[in-house]
């Protein structure tokens, strides 16, 4: 919550502990879909990227459901 108080528009966090490989898959997929890495031409909004990246987890109904967004999701314009 300190990041939000400091002025960050949004924060992605997990509601409970998840396995490190699943959260790594989730983070990689989210960053690629959001357009920060991988040179994706059609970047999506942060909330869409998080929603679509839940499928990257092996345990998508357990670990994939843990990440949530606090704040106001923003679109990254490269």
């Amino acid at each position: 919550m300190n990041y939000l108080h400091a002025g960050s528009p949004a924060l992605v966090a997990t509601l409970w502990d998840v396995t490190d490989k699943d959260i790594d898959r989730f983070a990689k997929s989210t960053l690629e879909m959001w357009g920060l890495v991988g040179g994706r031409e059609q970047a999506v909004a942060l909330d869409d990227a998080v929603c679509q990246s839940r499928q990257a987890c092996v345990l998508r109904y357990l670990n994939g459901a843990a990440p949530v967004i606090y704040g106001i999701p923003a679109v990254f314009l490269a």
Side-chain angles (χ1 to χ4, degrees), residues 3-35:
Y3 286 101
L4 294 175
H5 288 284
S8 178
L11 173 73
V12 178
T14 59
L15 293 175
W16 52 82
D17 292 337
V18 298
T19 60
D20 58 342
K21 288 185 181 180
D22 260 356
I23 201 64
D24 289 344
R25 284 186 197 102
F26 173 82
K28 181 179 181 240
S29 177
T30 300
L31 293 175
E32 287 173 352
M33 288 186 187
W34 198 27

